[in-house]
Amino acid sequence: MSEADDELLPELDLRLTQENLEDLYEHAPCGYCSCLPDGTLVKLNHTLLNWLGYTREELVAHWCLQDLFTIGGRLHYETHCAPLLLLQDQVREISYTLRRKDGSTLPVLMSAVLVRDLDQQPLVVRITLFDITDRRRYEQELLRAKVQAEEQREQLAQANQLLVSKNEQLTRINADLDSFVYTASHDLKQPVTNMAGLFQELKRTASFHDPEANGMMSMFEEALQQILVTIQGLTEVVQQQREPEQVASDVVELQPFVEEIIRSLQPGEQAATFTLDFAAVPRLRMSRASLHSMLYNLLSNALKYAEPARTPHIRVSTAMVKDKVVLSVQDNGRGINMERHGAELFQLFRRFHPGVAGSGVGLYLVNRLVHQAGGRIEVDSQVGEGTTFHIYLPQ
């Protein structure tokens, strides 16, 4: 080592080289003791005596090491630790619990070394004890956390099993309900159609002299038509729910597609104007049948619920919002009270304008088709001003 290196070293305080070995033994941060091969204590340091609450005179030559342990610790020492010491001359980190003079206990970790004389006969056992109170507390907390985690895992498994069972039960119930509704609507459709035909024949051939007859005939005809519309709506719902969730998608050119739907709607005498703007997203990748049903229902509703005092104007457009395609259908019709009806807007058979004929199926189907396509739908509406449906679809 060079002189330059010596200059960099701090000056050593010579007092550190004058440590009293006896004091170091007595006040070490761990417990020290020595005992004869049979366990009789012959020496204990001050640290261990302070832990136990005994004086040196009370223990030396009067107590054995194993007397300091709990009953279980004593049995373990005599049947396991002592024979192991004689066999291999040392043991390491064995957990015991010491009994203090005041009756309390202290968990320790014990290591021991057996010293032999020149004839290799056991002479003395030197023992080191470390206080593991904090470690034992931490282990107990970990054990409690493990038990709680196991209990929660078991509860979660039971809850999951219950959910699976409930889901299977609901699936069966839904299938049974679908079959019932489909059968009922199919079986009812023909008799009601026959009734409508008979009623038309009755109107053609019979004459009624009662002045109220015409009004009653009109009411009866409207009731028949409402039954037919409801049955048709039920059939559409069941057919749509029976279709697989994953339907093959097509690339649909929106301009000609929407124009074709508008022509099929045939607004009739009421002249409606349509504005189509697909510049942002001119085409969509989606099931053609699903897209047709969505737009047909929204556009037919826009015409059906037009405000009588003004010409219907309907705008269909697309836009990009972040990573979503937004397909919007806007009208200037009667509007919907969203504070009153917003929560039930897409429920089956819910209708919000009793004065207009309808089945309450269209918006339910639109919402289901949108979710089936992996999207969502938002609605803005003001009573007397109109309604806008925003359909958010993945690219």
Side-chain angles (χ1 to χ4, degrees), residues 135-319:
R135 171 176 166 174
R136 181 69 59 83
R137 185 183 300 113
Y138 178 67
E139 289 174 347
Q140 290 173 347
E141 290 175 356
L142 285 179
L143 183 59
R144 282 195 296 269
K146 180 181 178 181
V147 171
Q148 291 176 355
E150 288 293 329
E151 291 176 351
Q152 292 175 356
R153 185 189 65 80
E154 183 65 26
Q155 292 172 359
L156 185 61
Q158 293 176 358
N160 186 61
Q161 183 61 37
L162 181 60
L163 284 176
V164 170
S165 176
K166 291 292 185 183
N167 186 59
E168 292 175 351
Q169 182 181 4
L170 288 174
T171 300
R172 290 193 299 270
I173 291 173
N174 284 336
D176 292 342
L177 286 174
D178 284 350
S179 298
F180 170 76
V181 172
Y182 183 79
T183 302
S185 60
H186 182 271
D187 291 348
L188 287 173
K189 186 174 182 180
Q190 189 60 45
V192 175
T193 302
N194 292 340
M195 289 175 62
L198 290 172
F199 182 72
Q200 293 299 323
E201 183 64 21
L202 178 65
K203 287 176 62 179
R204 188 182 67 82
T205 58
S207 58
F208 300 91
H209 302 289
D210 191 334
E212 297 181 358
N214 289 335
M216 296 179 66
M217 296 283 281
S218 298
M219 292 171 60
F220 186 77
E221 186 173 18
E222 290 176 3
L224 277 176
Q225 289 302 318
Q226 185 62 44
I227 292 174
L228 283 171
V229 169
T230 301
I231 291 174
Q232 180 62 32
L234 284 170
T235 303
E236 290 179 8
V237 169
V238 175
Q239 287 177 343
Q240 194 277 326
Q241 292 186 165
R242 286 184 169 186
E243 292 179 358
E245 292 291 326
Q246 300 297 330
V247 182
S249 59
D250 305 305
V251 177
V252 181
E253 292 287 344
L254 290 173
Q255 186 77 24
F257 187 79
V258 176
E259 289 175 351
E260 181 182 349
I261 294 175
I262 292 173
R263 285 193 296 270
S264 69
L265 287 171
Q266 299 176 351
E269 298 179 357
Q270 188 179 30
T273 60
F274 289 87
T275 300
L276 307 182
D277 180 8
F278 304 120
V281 184
R283 60 189 64 85
L284 281 179
R285 177 173 291 279
M286 188 177 177
S287 164
R288 183 176 292 269
S290 296
L291 184 58
H292 184 279
S293 180
M294 287 163 47
L295 288 173
Y296 183 89
N297 276 287
L298 291 177
L299 292 174
S300 62
N301 278 355
L303 293 172
K304 185 187 301 182
Y305 299 107
E307 180 64 48
R310 57 176 173 261
T311 300
H313 179 72
I314 302 166
R315 174 183 171 84
V316 187
S317 61
T318 55

Side-chain angles (χ1 to χ4, degrees), residues 7-150:
E7 292 177 358
L8 295 176
L9 293 175
E11 184 179 354
L12 184 63
D13 190 340
L14 295 180
R15 288 176 298 176
L16 299 177
T17 65
Q18 299 172 0
E19 279 281 355
N20 187 313
L21 296 181
E22 184 65 24
D23 184 72
L24 179 63
Y25 172 83
E26 289 292 340
H27 298 94
C30 58
Y32 286 124
C33 67
S34 301
C35 65
L36 300 178
D38 65 356
T40 302
L41 291 168
V42 294
K43 191 173 184 180
L44 299 92
N45 73 343
H46 180 76
T47 301
L48 181 57
L49 291 169
N50 188 52
W51 286 354
L52 296 173
Y54 289 101
T55 63
R56 201 180 309 273
E57 292 74 17
E58 288 178 299
L59 298 180
V60 171
H62 294 92
W63 284 49
C64 293
L65 172 66
Q66 52 267 40
D67 294 333
L68 299 176
F69 299 150
T70 59
I71 295 176
R74 183 185 305 176
L75 290 174
H76 181 273
Y77 180 84
E78 292 176 349
T79 60
H80 177 78
C81 186
L84 197 59
L85 266 173
L86 293 173
L87 181 65
Q88 60 186 28
D89 292 345
Q90 69 174 356
V91 293
R92 295 177 57 81
E93 297 185 346
I94 299 179
S95 178
Y96 287 111
T97 301
L98 301 180
R99 295 184 298 115
R100 293 189 176 102
K101 186 175 183 179
D102 61 7
S104 61
T105 58
L106 174 71
V108 294
L109 204 61
M110 186 191 84
S111 295
V113 175
L114 176 63
V115 179
R116 297 178 182 270
D117 60 17
L118 295 177
D119 296 328
Q120 296 301 309
Q121 296 300 312
L123 179 63
V124 68
V125 180
R126 294 172 179 169
I127 297 151
T128 306
L129 300 164
F130 288 91
D131 181 356
I132 58 170
T133 301
D134 293 337
R135 171 176 166 174
R136 181 69 59 83
R137 185 183 300 113
Y138 178 67
E139 289 174 347
Q140 290 173 347
E141 290 175 356
L142 285 179
L143 183 59
R144 282 195 296 269
K146 180 181 178 181
V147 171
Q148 291 176 355
E150 288 293 329

